[in-house]
Amino acid sequence: MTEATTGAVRGPVLVVGTGLLGTSIGLALHRQGVEVWLRDVVAENVRTASQLGAGVPAPAEGAPALVVVCVPPDLLGAEIGAALAAHPDAVVTDVGSVKSAPLAAVGRHPGRHRYVGSHPMAGSERSGPLAASSSLFDGRPWAVTPHPDADPGAIAAVIALAEACGATAVPMAPEEHDLAVARISHVPHLLAVLVAGRLADAPAEHLALSGQGVRDVTRVAGGDPVLWEQIIEGNAPAVLGLLSEVRGQLELLIEAVTAGERDRLGALLARGQAGTQAIPGKHGGPTRPQRSVFVSVPDHPGELARLFADAGASDVNIEDIHIDHDPGRPVGLVELLVEEARADHLLASLESRGWVTHR
């Protein structure tokens, strides 16, 4: 394998591990007409994924063109090595959230040139094949992390995999990937865990005041602790560096609050606001000014659909949505995030259709 290939994914593709990501990859490839073989140590997962249409159980004999390893982080190195040994003509990739550790585990394996790591930036708090979706990767970035010894054909095959699944391939070095995910995923997860931990033993009367803000901050803390133990351990160097930065900022924050120094507090708050604005906007473009429009929605079937239909009739695009339930009444407060310039038009239009809005 010396020349880069282009275009569609060449099958059969063997997916090792039929959880959320593995089954979703199978479903996405099946959507493209690619032959997919499925393997998992849990036979029930293979049966479920097969019934969902993600592929067929891997035959006892056969030569896949591509192997996609979708197992927990602790097992990645062993499974990648096993795939390289068992399928000497196949390209091998994995979808683990840390890339330097699996590459190190491959070591000087004679098939090292056929291995290219990858990481789709998509997922869910749910797990298992029943949580899978053929559209899980649509429009999402998919990191492809070639190493210096990687064959160009192997790199092209993994890029083709990402694109066939509906994602956008983003090539980067393994160590750069690990620093990036520590910054945008692993450390935010740990901070969400710490905030959520303050709620575990909180008095019920405190929790009764919970709103969308605390749900937004703590949502990702609901992830599987066993999986996250493996992820954090696998990316410890990058995570520790960023946690040290956060610790320094936390000490400054404590000092500012203790001394009542509003200027220093304001500088830290402004820095956080700048960080939210640095996150790429829709389709990877710059973030555009947005504004929240709040609407009271009765909590019974059909009301959300009616609200969306009326918003659509207003010719205003909804960028995002949050729902906060009123604990005392059968009503939800729906927050519609729209372009700032269109917010007043949407408010007037919804009010003209009988909706109760909050300005």
Side-chain angles (χ1 to χ4, degrees), residues 78-162:
E79 287 293 341
I80 292 167
L84 289 170
H87 308 292
D89 296 321
V91 172
V92 177
T93 189
D94 72 289
V95 296
S97 59
V98 178
K99 301 274 58 96
S100 297
L103 178 60
V106 171
R108 303 310 305 173
H109 191 287
R112 176 185 172 92
H113 64 287
R114 295 183 285 111
Y115 166 69
V116 175
S118 74
H119 178 207
M121 300 303 296
S124 168
E125 286 74 53
R126 299 171 60 208
S127 61
L130 289 175
S133 168
S134 64
S135 60
L136 182 67
F137 312 106
D138 286 355
R140 303 297 301 166
W142 187 312
V144 177
T145 59
H147 53 88
D149 300 327
D151 190 285
I155 299 170
V158 178
I159 290 174
L161 168 68

Side-chain angles (χ1 to χ4, degrees), residues 260-281:
E261 296 180 355
R262 296 183 65 174
D263 287 346
R264 292 176 66 189
L265 176 59
L268 290 167
L269 293 171
R271 179 70 173 168
Q273 184 184 51
T276 65
Q277 295 171 349
I279 299 171

Side-chain angles (χ1 to χ4, degrees), residues 179-231:
L179 179 57
V181 295
R183 189 184 306 278
I184 59 94
S185 175
H186 301 168
V187 169
H189 183 93
L190 291 176
L191 297 182
V193 164
L194 294 180
V195 174
R198 301 306 90 213
L199 306 176
D201 299 315
E205 57 269 27
H206 292 188
L207 298 175
L209 301 179
S210 299
Q212 190 59 45
V214 72
R215 293 188 180 94
D216 288 343
V217 171
T218 60
R219 180 182 60 83
V220 296
D224 180 7
V226 174
L227 173 62
W228 276 96
E229 286 174 6
Q230 298 178 40
I231 291 172

